């Protein structure tokens, strides 16, 4: 009976001891493939174990100082379990080739990020360039539209002015025609009175001299009035013709100025193109460019009268007639290089 009681007590104690024990930790996961995300997860897990070990160290010291053997043993078991977990967690980091594979993947990820950033930057730059080109096109279209509107308005004003001048001129010509018709009527009246006077004389009827004098005075008065009006209308016509000729001269002058302006702009554009071919684009020409000394040398005559005189003196030494067999005349502008004749030359030019 004592043995049976002792056995029951032992089984009870063992069941209570096993009930107080913590469940065994789960087996560690298999080592994952080397990747930045898995390495980050391993680092986070390892930091958690390290923090747990750091928290258990003061408890061990306190149990050791107080002489608490059971507490010290429990804390030691927990620390050893945390240390084993830590070793299991960091075990993939110690495998051969893990660090190199992680470095290669991190480098590939970095290059991928840089490539995506470069593509994004290029896309943004292309978009900005397209927006700038669209704005430039819109500005050119607006400028062209304003120029067309201005030309149409000028033509309308000229047409209205010409129509008004033609209207006034037609009125003056109508008045001149009326005056001429009235002069013809006066001459017809004189001829009619002369014929009637001759017919009356044949019949023996003679009008008094006062009647002839009154008729002649009236006719002379009307002729003087019509002559004055004719001179006035002729002066008005001459003034209108002078005004029309002045407007036409102004129009010809404006057309000539426009033509000269287009020629100057064309020559300026050609000069800019030649300068761009010889010295590069001025808008993108840095101050420290290797062609800057050559540019300063060949363009020094534009900034210094002494340099202009010296260069002209040097050129004048080689002046020859156009038909000289041993020379040719000085070219009027820059001598542009010819186009590349092969791919090698083209690559060197680019």
């Amino acid at each position: 009976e004592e043995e049976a009681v002792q056995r029951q007590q032992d089984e009870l104690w063992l069941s209570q001891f096993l009930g107080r024990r913590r469940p065994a930790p789960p087996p560690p996961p298999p080592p994952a493939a080397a990747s930045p995300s898995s390495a980050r997860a391993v680092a986070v897990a390892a930091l958690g174990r390290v923090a747990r070990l750091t928290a258990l160290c003061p408890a061990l010291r306190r149990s050791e100082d107080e002489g608490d053997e059971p507490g010290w043993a429990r804390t030691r078991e927990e620390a050893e379990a945390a240390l084993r977990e830590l070793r299991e967690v960091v075990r993939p980091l110690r495998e051969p080739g893990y660090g190199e594979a992680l470095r290669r993947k991190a480098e590939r990820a970095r290059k991928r990020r840089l490539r995506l950033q470069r593509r994004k930057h290029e896309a943004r730059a292309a978009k900005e360039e397209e927006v700038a080109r669209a704005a430039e096109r819109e500005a050119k279209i607006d400028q062209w539209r304003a120029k067309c509107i201005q030309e149409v308005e000028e033509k309308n004003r000229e047409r209205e002015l010409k129509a008004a001048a033609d209207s006034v001129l037609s009125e003056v010509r109508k008045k001149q025609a009326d005056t001429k018709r009235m002069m013809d009527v006066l001459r017809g009246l004189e001829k009619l009175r002369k014929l009637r006077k001759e017919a009356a004389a044949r019949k023996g009827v003679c009008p008094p001299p006062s009647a002839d004098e009154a008729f002649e005075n009236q006719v002379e008065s009307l002729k003087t009035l019509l002559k004055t009006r004719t001179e006035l209308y002729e002066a008005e016509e001459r003034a209108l013709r002078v005004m029309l000729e002045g407007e036409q001269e102004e129009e010809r002058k404006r057309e000539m100025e426009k033509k000269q302006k287009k020629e100057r702009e064309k020559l300026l554009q050609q000069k800019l193109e030649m300068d761009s071919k010889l010295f590069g684009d001025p808008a993108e020409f840095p101050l420290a460019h290797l062609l800057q000394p050559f540019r300063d040398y060949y363009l020094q005559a534009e900034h210094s009268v002494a340099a202009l005189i010296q260069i002209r003196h040097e050129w004048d030494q080689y002046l020859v007639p156009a038909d000289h067999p041993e020379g040719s005349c000085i070219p009027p502008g820059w001598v542009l290089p010819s186009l590349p004749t092969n791919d090698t030359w083209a690559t060197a030019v680019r």
Side-chain angles (χ1 to χ4, degrees), residues 139-195:
K140 289 183 178 179
I141 291 173
D142 293 340
Q143 185 178 3
W144 174 79
R145 185 185 296 113
K147 183 178 179 181
C148 292
I149 292 173
Q150 183 179 2
E151 291 179 355
V152 171
E153 290 179 352
E154 289 180 357
K155 290 181 179 179
N156 290 335
R157 285 195 299 269
E158 293 171 1
R159 191 181 300 111
E160 292 175 358
L161 181 61
K162 187 176 180 181
D166 291 340
S167 176
V168 176
L169 187 59
S170 63
E171 291 291 335
V172 173
R173 288 176 178 174
K174 184 179 178 182
K175 293 177 181 178
Q176 288 177 344
D178 294 339
T179 304
K180 186 178 180 182
R181 188 168 57 253
M182 293 176 68
M183 291 291 291
D184 294 337
V185 170
L186 285 177
R187 283 193 292 270
L189 288 174
E190 288 179 345
K191 187 181 294 185
L192 179 61
R193 189 177 187 283
K194 182 179 180 181
L195 292 174

Side-chain angles (χ1 to χ4, degrees), residues 59-60 63-64 67-78:
L60 282 173
S63 299
E64 185 177 2
D68 186 4
E69 292 292 337
W72 183 85
R74 288 195 302 272
T75 305
R76 180 180 178 183
E77 290 180 359
E78 293 179 2

Side-chain angles (χ1 to χ4, degrees), residues 269-312:
Q269 184 65 28
Q270 291 177 354
K271 183 179 182 299
L272 292 176
E273 290 178 359
M274 288 191 294
D275 292 346
S276 177
K277 291 179 181 178
L278 292 170
F279 306 111
D281 190 1
E284 300 177 358
F285 199 86
L287 295 178
H289 198 273
L290 55 92
L291 293 179
Q292 183 65 36
F294 301 94
R295 183 182 179 88
D296 295 338
Y297 175 76
Y298 286 109
L299 298 180
Q300 60 180 333
E302 297 182 0
H303 308 286
S304 173
V305 178
L308 175 62
I309 296 174
Q310 178 64 27
I311 294 172
R312 182 60 187 267

Side-chain angles (χ1 to χ4, degrees), residues 12-41:
L12 178 61
W13 177 84
L14 182 59
S15 61
Q16 291 177 355
F17 176 75
L18 292 177
R20 288 196 302 268
R21 291 186 61 184
R22 294 181 180 180
S35 64
S37 59
S38 63
R40 191 180 301 108

